[in-house]
C-alpha cells in the first residue's frame, strides 16, 4: 500500500519566510480557511508569459475567483475564460472589457448566450450541433472555436468524454457554423488538469492542423489553437519546470504548423493559483478503531469543505505539520456525517505519532479548486473561508 511521508522540503514549495508569514497571519483565525498569496500568482503569471510570449493567456476564473486575484491578473494583461454568466458579471464588475473574455463552457443555455452577447462577448466555445445553433440564433456573427476530445492520459484530473467531440463531428460543426453566419476561428482541446506528461499536447495539436487544412478546402480560414489548461501545480508528484512544458509545446507547434503558426490561446487555472494557497486545518480527533490497526486522523476540513479533488484520491496535496519525531501511517478524514468524507485511505500519509487534537495541519498547493468547490451548508458548515495576502 503506497504511503507518503509528511515531511517535505518546504523550500521546494515556499520559503521559510513565506511560511512564517502565513503562520503569523493565520494564528488568530478560526480554522479551516485558505490563505492565498498574490505574490505567488504574479510570479506564476510572469513565468508563463516569459516561457510562452506568443500565447494569449485566458485565466480560467473557476479555479479561483477571488477579486484580488482577478484584479492582479487583469492588471498584468491577462484575458479570462468564463464558464457562466455569473463569472461574466464578476469580470465586468471589475472593469474587464468583454473583448478580453471567452465563454469557454460548451454547455450553455440559450438565454445565457444571449445575455453574454448583449454584454459584448463575441468569443464562444462549442462542441455540439445544438450549441452551434443556439449561438447562431442568440449571438449572431460571433467568433467560435470547436472543442475536440482528448483522452486525458497522464493527468490527475482528466477532462475527457464530457467535453469535446470527435474531429469528424467538429468538422461538421465548423461547416454548420459558417452556414449559419458564425465566424469559425479555431480548435480547442484540454489535455487534462494537472498533466504530468509534457508530450500530451502533440497529438491534439496535430489534429488541429488536420482540421485547419480540411476547413481551408471549404474556404474557411481557421486561425486559433486554444490549448486550454493542463500545466501543473506542485503537489506531491514532481513536475517539470514551466519552461520544459513551454519548449515542448512550442516545438510541437513549429513542427506541425511551421514557423508561422496560428494564434495560440492558453487557459491556465490550477497552474496560476494552485501554488499560491495554503489551507489551514485543525485536528479534531485521532481514533484507533481496532487493536493494531491504522489510526484515523479526523480534521475540521474534508471533501465537502474544499478538498473535493481528493475524490478517488486524485489530487495528492502536500501536508505539513510542525510536529516531529516518530511517524505512523494515518487514514485522513473530514468532519462531516458522510462516509464519503475520507480524504486518503488507500494512499496513506506518514505523519508524526505526536499529533494531538487541536494541532494545526497545513495543506499546501490549495489555491485552486478549494473554496469554489466548497459546499455551502452541508452539516450546517459554512463554505471555506479565504484570505488574500500579498
Amino acid at each position: 500500500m503506497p504511503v507518503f511521508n509528511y515531511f517535505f522540503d518546504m523550500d521546494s514549495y515556499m520559503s521559510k519566510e513565506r511560511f512564517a508569514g502565513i503562520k503569523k497571519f493565520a494564528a488568530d483565525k478560526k480554522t479551516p480557511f485558505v490563505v492565498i498569496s498574490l505574490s505567488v500568482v504574479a510570479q506564476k503569471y510572469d513565468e508563463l508569459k516569459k516561457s510562452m510570449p506568443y500565447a494569449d493567456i485566458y485565466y480560467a476564473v473557476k479555479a479561483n475567483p477571488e477579486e484580488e486575484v482577478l484584479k492582479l491578473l487583469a492588471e498584468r494583461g491577462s484575458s479570462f475564460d468564463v464558464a457562466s454568466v455569473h463569472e461574466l458579471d464578476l469580470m465586468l464588475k471589475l472593469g474587464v472589457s468583454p473583448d478580453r473574455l471567452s465563454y469557454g463552457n460548451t454547455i450553455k443555455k440559450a438565454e445565457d448566450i444571449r445575455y453574454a452577447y448583449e454584454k459584448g462577448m463575441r468569443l464562444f466555445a462549442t462542441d455540439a450541433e445544438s450549441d452551434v445553433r443556439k449561438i447562431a440564433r442568440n449571438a449572431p456573427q460571433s467568433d467560435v472555436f470547436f472543442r475536440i476530445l482528448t483522452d486525458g492520459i497522464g493527468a490527475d484530473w482528466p477532462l475527457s468524454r464530457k467535453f469535446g467531440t470527435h474531429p469528424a463531428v467538429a468538422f461538421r460543426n465548423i461547416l454548420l457554423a459558417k452556414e449559419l453566419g458564425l465566424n469559425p476561428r479555431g480548435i480547442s482541446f484540454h489535455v487534462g488538469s494537472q498533466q504530468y506528461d509534457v508530450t500530451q499536447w502533440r497529438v491534439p495539436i496535430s489534429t488541429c492542423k488536420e482540421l485547419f487544412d480540411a476547413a481551408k478546402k471549404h474556404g474557411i480560414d481557421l486561425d486559433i489553437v486554444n490549448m486550454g489548461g493542463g500545466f501543473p501545480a506542485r503537489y506531491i508528484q514532481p513536475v517539470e519546470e514551466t519552461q520544459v512544458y513551454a519548449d515542448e509545446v512550442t516545438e510541437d507547434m513549429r513542427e506541425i504548423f511551421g514557423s508561422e503558426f496560428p494564434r495560440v490561446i492558453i487557459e491556465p487555472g490550477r497552474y496560476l493559483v494552485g501554488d499560491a494557497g495554503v489551507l489551514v486545518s485543525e485536528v479534531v480527533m485521532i481514533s484507533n478503531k481496532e487493536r493494531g490497526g491504522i489510526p484515523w486522523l479526523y480534521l475540521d476540513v474534508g471533501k465537502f469543505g474544499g478538498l473535493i479533488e481528493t475524490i478517488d484520491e486524485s489530487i495528492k496535496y502536500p501536508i505539513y505539520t510542525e510536529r516531529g519525531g516518530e511517524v505512523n501511517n494515518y487514514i485522513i478524514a473530514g468532519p462531516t456525517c458522510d462516509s464519503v468524507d475520507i480524504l486518503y485511505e488507500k494512499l496513506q500519509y506518514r505523519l508524526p505519532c505526536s499529533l494531538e487534537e487541536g494541532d494545526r495541519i497545513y495543506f499546501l498547493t490549495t489555491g485552486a479548486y478549494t473554496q469554489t468547490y466548497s459546499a455551502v451548508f452541508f452539516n450546517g458548515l459554512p463554505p471555506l473561508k479565504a484570505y488574500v495576502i500579498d
Side-chain angles (χ1 to χ4, degrees):
M1 182 173 291
V3 296
F4 284 139
N5 288 321
Y6 80 98
F7 181 78
F8 301 98
D9 177 11
M10 282 289 286
D11 290 339
S12 66
Y13 291 94
M14 69 184 75
S15 67
K16 292 181 177 64
E17 291 75 18
R18 181 187 161 210
F19 179 73
I22 290 174
K23 181 184 172 186
K24 181 179 179 181
F25 175 84
D28 61 348
K29 294 173 177 61
K30 182 176 176 61
T31 62
F33 57 88
V34 63
V35 181
I36 308 295
S37 299
L38 289 178
S39 59
V40 177
V41 179
Q43 174 192 339
K44 298 294 286 187
Y45 180 87
D46 293 347
E47 184 179 340
L48 184 58
K49 194 63 183 174
K50 181 180 178 181
S51 299
M52 298 178 70
Y54 56 84
D56 294 327
I57 297 175
Y58 279 68
Y59 169 64
V61 176
K62 58 185 171 287
N64 186 320
E66 285 295 314
E67 291 192 8
E68 294 94 329
V69 171
L70 299 175
K71 288 176 183 176
L72 179 146
L73 292 172
E75 290 168 359
R76 270 179 149 67
S78 181
S79 295
F80 298 87
D81 163 47
V82 302
S84 69
V85 293
H86 308 288
E87 290 185 348
L88 165 62
D89 284 342
L90 174 59
M91 299 314 305
L92 295 178
K93 185 186 81 170
L94 295 177
V96 176
S97 61
D99 63 329
R100 292 170 64 182
L101 304 177
S102 165
Y103 206 136
N105 192 347
T106 61
I107 305 165
K108 305 179 287 296
K109 294 180 180 180
E111 64 193 71
D112 291 344
I113 296 170
R114 187 181 314 115
Y115 180 85
Y117 182 78
E118 290 170 352
K119 291 295 183 178
M121 285 192 69
R122 294 295 184 269
L123 183 59
F124 297 84
T126 190
D127 66 0
E129 177 183 337
S130 170
D131 191 59
V132 172
R133 293 186 182 278
K134 283 189 289 187
I135 295 172
R137 286 193 300 267
N138 296 282
Q141 299 180 325
S142 287
D143 295 341
V144 287
F145 53 91
F146 303 82
R147 184 162 173 173
I148 56 174
L149 285 165
T150 60
D151 56 27
I153 292 173
D156 274 347
W157 202 259
L159 294 168
S160 56
R161 297 184 61 218
K162 182 179 179 182
F163 300 104
T165 190
H166 188 279
V169 178
F171 180 64
R172 290 199 298 269
N173 288 336
I174 292 170
L175 299 181
L176 175 64
K178 185 68 173 179
E179 178 185 328
L180 295 177
L182 293 171
N183 184 20
R185 293 295 305 275
I187 309 300
S188 73
F189 61 85
H190 199 303
V191 296
S193 191
Q194 191 66 15
Q195 176 59 254
Y196 293 96
D197 185 352
V198 299
T199 70
Q200 285 297 310
W201 279 259
R202 185 172 184 84
V203 169
I205 289 173
S206 181
T207 303
C208 289
K209 179 63 164 66
E210 293 171 3
L211 286 168
F212 271 54
D213 291 345
K216 191 172 185 63
K217 292 177 181 178
H218 288 258
I220 300 172
D221 291 319
L222 303 178
D223 63 353
I224 296 176
V225 172
N226 184 331
M227 299 183 183
F231 281 24
R234 293 176 299 168
Y235 298 110
I236 285 178
Q237 183 175 332
V239 296
E240 298 286 357
E241 296 296 325
T242 302
Q243 192 64 56
V244 175
Y245 282 87
D247 288 347
E248 183 75 20
V249 170
T250 303
E251 186 60 29
D252 289 343
M253 286 294 295
R254 286 175 178 158
E255 287 186 14
I256 293 167
F257 276 96
S259 57
E260 298 297 323
F261 52 73
R263 176 188 174 193
V264 171
I265 289 176
I266 50 177
E267 297 173 340
R270 185 186 306 278
Y271 168 85
L272 286 180
V273 294
D275 293 352
V278 175
L279 194 157
V280 186
S281 64
E282 182 179 305
V283 177
V284 176
M285 186 171 70
I286 300 172
S287 172
N288 292 288
K289 293 180 177 291
E290 55 185 293
R291 182 177 298 175
I294 298 169
W296 286 64
L297 179 69
Y298 295 96
L299 306 177
D300 62 0
V301 68
K303 277 189 168 68
F304 303 101
L307 298 177
I308 191 63
E309 288 197 320
T310 61
I311 193 167
D312 295 329
E313 306 189 11
S314 297
I315 297 296
K316 302 166 185 64
Y317 295 102
I319 296 176
Y320 182 75
T321 170
E322 294 186 287
R323 290 281 186 178
E326 185 180 347
V327 297
N328 194 8
N329 294 354
Y330 285 88
I331 297 169
I332 305 176
T336 63
C337 298
D338 194 312
S339 61
V340 171
D341 196 9
I342 301 171
L343 306 181
Y344 302 109
E345 183 175 13
K346 296 176 183 176
L347 181 71
Q348 291 163 10
Y349 282 70
R350 294 181 66 79
L351 297 166
C353 299
S354 57
L355 277 174
E356 297 179 357
E357 295 178 8
D359 284 350
R360 288 198 160 186
I361 300 290
Y362 301 88
F363 286 77
L364 311 183
T365 317
T366 43
Y369 303 111
T370 48
Q371 189 188 22
T372 53
Y373 266 154
S374 175
V376 296
F377 203 61
F378 185 54
N379 280 204
L381 299 174
L384 182 67
K385 190 172 182 58
Y387 297 97
V388 179
I389 63 176
D390 292 335

